Amino acid sequence: MARTKEFDPDAALQSALELFWRRGYEATSMADLVEHLGIGRASLYATFGSKHELYLRALDRYGQGQDPRLTRELSAPGPVLPAVRALVRRFAAEAAADATREQGCLVTNTAVELAPHDRAAARRVERSWDTLETLLHSALVRARARGELAGDRDPLALARLLLVLLQGLRVVGKASADPARVRDAAEQALALLD
């Protein structure tokens, strides 16, 4: 008769996500995971595989939680540019806020820490960025069709600019104690939408 799991794998995955997000991949050891999750090492390996596999699953879960909010914000009916501006300002505020500054964004953290040498992590980062770029591009196409954005503006190029800005805000916000740095950059980028 097979033994039943003595823990909730879903809750354990969420707890691992939070630990990785707070500490990073390299700074989190299997011993840290065992202690934090309260799960034996053998059970952890049997359920999630290696630390790397657990990290990738946590990163997937993080992405699933983020995308629906962005879709709602950028696909809402009515004027489009106010939603785009609100999104950029929200990212800037989050990047500069003491409560979120240290932790940052798990996708951005992964891009900086792992993507240069970890193909599986890099694919997940790219997928997340592709999703955000597509949402921004679609919103800006709608804005141009509605006359909110000048007809000579390239929605794809602007979406890519905003993607790079949003990721840069998160990196600079995490490392800088000066919140004006990210707020000023966000406002200058938004001026390009006028």
Side-chain angles (χ1 to χ4, degrees):
M1 186 166 147
R3 263 182 83 190
T4 58
K5 286 187 174 31
E6 297 175 11
F7 66 94
D8 178 357
D10 190 59
L13 179 59
Q14 183 62 37
S15 189
L17 183 161
E18 292 163 4
L19 184 62
F20 282 130
W21 193 2
R22 187 170 54 252
R23 298 190 63 192
Y25 177 77
E26 294 296 337
T28 303
S29 68
M30 278 304 280
D32 295 331
L33 288 161
V34 166
E35 181 181 331
H36 183 75
L37 303 178
I39 300 170
R41 186 179 296 263
S43 294
L44 197 56
Y45 281 119
T47 303
F48 299 109
S50 68
K51 172 182 140 179
H52 187 255
E53 291 169 311
L54 176 56
Y55 185 84
L56 294 176
R57 287 180 63 181
L59 187 56
D60 289 341
R61 164 159 303 186
Y62 178 84
Q64 292 164 358
Q66 299 298 308
D67 294 345
R69 180 179 178 187
L70 295 172
T71 301
R72 279 192 312 275
E73 292 172 348
L74 294 174
S75 301
V80 180
L81 286 186
V84 172
R85 287 187 179 95
L87 176 75
V88 171
R89 288 181 177 126
R90 179 172 59 83
F91 271 59
E94 289 171 0
D98 288 337
T100 54
R101 189 170 66 88
E102 186 176 317
Q103 196 166 347
C105 164
L106 185 60
V107 171
T108 306
N109 296 348
T110 302
V112 172
E113 182 181 12
L114 296 178
H117 56 82
D118 182 329
R119 296 180 91 184
R123 279 193 303 275
R124 284 162 171 84
V125 168
E126 282 292 331
R127 185 171 57 224
S128 176
W129 288 349
D130 287 346
T131 298
L132 180 53
E133 181 181 296
T134 299
L135 289 169
L136 287 165
H137 180 224
S138 295
L140 293 169
V141 165
R142 284 185 12 255
R144 191 170 68 178
R146 292 174 54 94
E148 296 176 59
L149 186 64
D152 64 344
R153 296 298 176 94
D154 180 346
L156 181 57
L158 283 171
R160 288 179 171 164
L161 169 85
L162 291 175
L163 169 69
V164 171
L165 170 78
L166 295 174
Q167 296 309 300
L169 291 175
R170 287 175 164 172
V171 171
V172 172
K174 190 170 174 140
S176 176
D178 183 3
R181 203 173 254 153
V182 294
R183 281 195 309 265
D184 290 349
E187 291 304 318
Q188 285 303 305
L190 289 176
L192 297 173
L193 299 177
D194 293 333

